[in-house]
PDB file of all heavy atoms in Angstrom:
ATOM      1  N   ALA A  27     -55.822 -24.667 -16.076  1.00 98.00           N
ATOM      2  CA  ALA A  27     -54.624 -23.908 -15.708  1.00 98.00           C
ATOM      3  C   ALA A  27     -54.884 -22.933 -14.562  1.00 98.00           C
ATOM      4  O   ALA A  27     -53.944 -22.357 -14.014  1.00 98.00           O
ATOM      5  CB  ALA A  27     -54.105 -23.147 -16.922  1.00 98.00           C
ATOM      6  N   HIS A  31     -58.291 -24.873  -6.248  1.00 98.00           N
ATOM      7  CA  HIS A  31     -58.867 -25.812  -5.283  1.00 98.00           C
ATOM      8  C   HIS A  31     -60.224 -26.271  -5.823  1.00 98.00           C
ATOM      9  O   HIS A  31     -60.921 -25.496  -6.465  1.00 98.00           O
ATOM     10  CB  HIS A  31     -59.065 -25.080  -3.937  1.00 98.00           C
ATOM     11  CG  HIS A  31     -59.820 -25.869  -2.933  1.00 98.00           C
ATOM     12  ND1 HIS A  31     -59.250 -26.890  -2.206  1.00 98.00           N
ATOM     13  CD2 HIS A  31     -61.127 -25.812  -2.538  1.00 98.00           C
ATOM     14  CE1 HIS A  31     -60.170 -27.411  -1.404  1.00 98.00           C
ATOM     15  NE2 HIS A  31     -61.310 -26.775  -1.581  1.00 98.00           N
ATOM     16  N   TYR A  41     -58.215 -18.932 -10.149  1.00 98.00           N
ATOM     17  CA  TYR A  41     -57.362 -17.767  -9.976  1.00 98.00           C
ATOM     18  C   TYR A  41     -57.616 -16.761 -11.102  1.00 98.00           C
ATOM     19  O   TYR A  41     -57.763 -17.146 -12.266  1.00 98.00           O
ATOM     20  CB  TYR A  41     -55.889 -18.187  -9.999  1.00 98.00           C
ATOM     21  CG  TYR A  41     -54.956 -17.071  -9.599  1.00 98.00           C
ATOM     22  CD1 TYR A  41     -54.755 -16.772  -8.254  1.00 98.00           C
ATOM     23  CD2 TYR A  41     -54.291 -16.307 -10.566  1.00 98.00           C
ATOM     24  CE1 TYR A  41     -53.907 -15.734  -7.870  1.00 98.00           C
ATOM     25  CE2 TYR A  41     -53.451 -15.271 -10.187  1.00 98.00           C
ATOM     26  CZ  TYR A  41     -53.257 -14.994  -8.837  1.00 98.00           C
ATOM     27  OH  TYR A  41     -52.430 -13.963  -8.473  1.00 98.00           O
ATOM     28  N   ASP A  91     -73.582  16.299 -14.492  1.00 94.00           N
ATOM     29  CA  ASP A  91     -74.546  15.532 -13.688  1.00 94.00           C
ATOM     30  C   ASP A  91     -73.872  15.141 -12.362  1.00 94.00           C
ATOM     31  O   ASP A  91     -72.886  14.404 -12.342  1.00 94.00           O
ATOM     32  CB  ASP A  91     -74.972  14.290 -14.477  1.00 94.00           C
ATOM     33  CG  ASP A  91     -75.879  13.349 -13.675  1.00 94.00           C
ATOM     34  OD1 ASP A  91     -76.122  13.599 -12.485  1.00 94.00           O
ATOM     35  OD2 ASP A  91     -76.327  12.341 -14.251  1.00 94.00           O
ATOM     36  N   SER A 163     -70.482  -8.252  -5.973  1.00 97.00           N
ATOM     37  CA  SER A 163     -69.993  -9.101  -4.872  1.00 97.00           C
ATOM     38  C   SER A 163     -68.753  -9.863  -5.320  1.00 97.00           C
ATOM     39  O   SER A 163     -67.815 -10.058  -4.543  1.00 97.00           O
ATOM     40  CB  SER A 163     -71.061 -10.106  -4.439  1.00 97.00           C
ATOM     41  OG  SER A 163     -72.148  -9.431  -3.854  1.00 97.00           O
ATOM     42  N   LEU A 428     -75.565   2.748 -23.570  1.00 95.00           N
ATOM     43  CA  LEU A 428     -76.506   2.593 -22.451  1.00 95.00           C
ATOM     44  C   LEU A 428     -76.935   3.914 -21.851  1.00 95.00           C
ATOM     45  O   LEU A 428     -77.795   3.936 -20.975  1.00 95.00           O
ATOM     46  CB  LEU A 428     -75.944   1.651 -21.367  1.00 95.00           C
ATOM     47  CG  LEU A 428     -75.016   2.201 -20.306  1.00 95.00           C
ATOM     48  CD1 LEU A 428     -74.852   1.219 -19.186  1.00 95.00           C
ATOM     49  CD2 LEU A 428     -73.700   2.611 -20.872  1.00 95.00           C
ATOM     50  N   GLY A 451     -85.746   0.685 -23.710  1.00 96.00           N
ATOM     51  CA  GLY A 451     -85.167   1.742 -22.873  1.00 96.00           C
ATOM     52  C   GLY A 451     -83.657   1.731 -22.745  1.00 96.00           C
ATOM     53  O   GLY A 451     -83.088   2.574 -22.069  1.00 96.00           O
TER      54      GLY A 451
ATOM     55  N   LYS B  27     -80.672   2.029 -16.178  1.00 96.00           N
ATOM     56  CA  LYS B  27     -79.291   2.502 -15.999  1.00 96.00           C
ATOM     57  C   LYS B  27     -79.110   3.723 -15.111  1.00 96.00           C
ATOM     58  O   LYS B  27     -78.108   3.843 -14.421  1.00 96.00           O
ATOM     59  CB  LYS B  27     -78.660   2.760 -17.357  1.00 96.00           C
ATOM     60  CG  LYS B  27     -78.927   4.120 -18.006  1.00 96.00           C
ATOM     61  CD  LYS B  27     -80.215   4.270 -18.741  1.00 96.00           C
ATOM     62  CE  LYS B  27     -80.146   3.600 -20.084  1.00 96.00           C
ATOM     63  NZ  LYS B  27     -81.404   3.422 -20.763  1.00 96.00           N
ATOM     64  N   LYS B  31     -76.068   4.722 -11.028  1.00 96.00           N
ATOM     65  CA  LYS B  31     -75.078   5.742 -10.660  1.00 96.00           C
ATOM     66  C   LYS B  31     -74.869   5.807  -9.159  1.00 96.00           C
ATOM     67  O   LYS B  31     -73.962   6.482  -8.683  1.00 96.00           O
ATOM     68  CB  LYS B  31     -75.539   7.114 -11.164  1.00 96.00           C
ATOM     69  CG  LYS B  31     -75.613   7.189 -12.680  1.00 96.00           C
ATOM     70  CD  LYS B  31     -76.134   8.549 -13.119  1.00 96.00           C
ATOM     71  CE  LYS B  31     -76.338   8.580 -14.624  1.00 96.00           C
ATOM     72  NZ  LYS B  31     -76.842   9.892 -15.069  1.00 96.00           N
ATOM     73  N   GLU B  93     -75.273  -6.107 -10.491  1.00 98.00           N
ATOM     74  CA  GLU B  93     -75.815  -6.760  -9.296  1.00 98.00           C
ATOM     75  C   GLU B  93     -76.940  -5.903  -8.720  1.00 98.00           C
ATOM     76  O   GLU B  93     -77.700  -6.343  -7.851  1.00 98.00           O
ATOM     77  CB  GLU B  93     -74.702  -6.974  -8.266  1.00 98.00           C
ATOM     78  CG  GLU B  93     -75.059  -7.995  -7.207  1.00 98.00           C
ATOM     79  CD  GLU B  93     -73.847  -8.541  -6.473  1.00 98.00           C
ATOM     80  OE1 GLU B  93     -72.831  -8.821  -7.148  1.00 98.00           O
ATOM     81  OE2 GLU B  93     -73.895  -8.658  -5.242  1.00 98.00           O
ATOM     82  N   ASN B 118     -76.043 -16.271 -10.683  1.00 96.00           N
ATOM     83  CA  ASN B 118     -74.915 -16.245  -9.762  1.00 96.00           C
ATOM     84  C   ASN B 118     -75.038 -15.096  -8.755  1.00 96.00           C
ATOM     85  O   ASN B 118     -74.808 -15.272  -7.560  1.00 96.00           O
ATOM     86  CB  ASN B 118     -73.673 -16.050 -10.638  1.00 96.00           C
ATOM     87  CG  ASN B 118     -72.451 -16.647 -10.026  1.00 96.00           C
ATOM     88  OD1 ASN B 118     -72.523 -17.641  -9.329  1.00 96.00           O
ATOM     89  ND2 ASN B 118     -71.328 -16.017 -10.288  1.00 96.00           N
ATOM     90  N   SER B 174     -72.640 -26.338  -2.759  1.00 92.00           N
ATOM     91  CA  SER B 174     -71.892 -25.210  -2.161  1.00 92.00           C
ATOM     92  C   SER B 174     -72.783 -23.981  -2.029  1.00 92.00           C
ATOM     93  O   SER B 174     -72.778 -23.291  -1.010  1.00 92.00           O
ATOM     94  CB  SER B 174     -70.692 -24.812  -3.021  1.00 92.00           C
ATOM     95  OG  SER B 174     -69.981 -25.917  -3.427  1.00 92.00           O
ATOM     96  N   LYS B 195     -53.025 -22.228  -0.342  1.00 98.00           N
ATOM     97  CA  LYS B 195     -53.162 -22.783  -1.689  1.00 98.00           C
ATOM     98  C   LYS B 195     -53.071 -21.684  -2.752  1.00 98.00           C
ATOM     99  O   LYS B 195     -52.507 -21.889  -3.820  1.00 98.00           O
ATOM    100  CB  LYS B 195     -54.513 -23.507  -1.833  1.00 98.00           C
ATOM    101  CG  LYS B 195     -54.506 -24.917  -1.303  1.00 98.00           C
ATOM    102  CD  LYS B 195     -55.755 -25.649  -1.770  1.00 98.00           C
ATOM    103  CE  LYS B 195     -55.602 -27.146  -1.507  1.00 98.00           C
ATOM    104  NZ  LYS B 195     -56.809 -27.895  -1.843  1.00 98.00           N
ATOM    105  N   TYR B 199     -50.230 -21.528  -5.557  1.00 98.00           N
ATOM    106  CA  TYR B 199     -50.616 -21.456  -6.968  1.00 98.00           C
ATOM    107  C   TYR B 199     -49.887 -20.289  -7.648  1.00 98.00           C
ATOM    108  O   TYR B 199     -49.331 -20.440  -8.735  1.00 98.00           O
ATOM    109  CB  TYR B 199     -52.134 -21.278  -7.095  1.00 98.00           C
ATOM    110  CG  TYR B 199     -52.557 -21.029  -8.516  1.00 98.00           C
ATOM    111  CD1 TYR B 199     -52.862 -22.087  -9.364  1.00 98.00           C
ATOM    112  CD2 TYR B 199     -52.610 -19.726  -9.030  1.00 98.00           C
ATOM    113  CE1 TYR B 199     -53.210 -21.863 -10.682  1.00 98.00           C
ATOM    114  CE2 TYR B 199     -52.953 -19.496 -10.346  1.00 98.00           C
ATOM    115  CZ  TYR B 199     -53.256 -20.555 -11.179  1.00 98.00           C
ATOM    116  OH  TYR B 199     -53.582 -20.328 -12.489  1.00 98.00           O
ATOM    117  N   GLU B 200     -49.870 -19.151  -6.986  1.00 98.00           N
ATOM    118  CA  GLU B 200     -49.214 -17.967  -7.562  1.00 98.00           C
ATOM    119  C   GLU B 200     -47.728 -18.230  -7.804  1.00 98.00           C
ATOM    120  O   GLU B 200     -47.184 -17.850  -8.844  1.00 98.00           O
ATOM    121  CB  GLU B 200     -49.370 -16.763  -6.621  1.00 98.00           C
ATOM    122  CG  GLU B 200     -50.731 -16.116  -6.723  1.00 98.00           C
ATOM    123  CD  GLU B 200     -50.860 -14.878  -5.844  1.00 98.00           C
ATOM    124  OE1 GLU B 200     -50.310 -14.892  -4.718  1.00 98.00           O
ATOM    125  OE2 GLU B 200     -51.512 -13.914  -6.277  1.00 98.00           O
TER     126      GLU B 200
END
Side-chain angles (χ1 to χ4, degrees):
Chain A
H31 172 78
Y41 190 81
D91 175 356
S163 293
L428 84 167
Chain B
K27 84 278 283 167
K31 296 177 186 180
E93 198 161 318
N118 208 32
S174 314
K195 277 193 167 176
Y199 173 89
E200 281 183 322

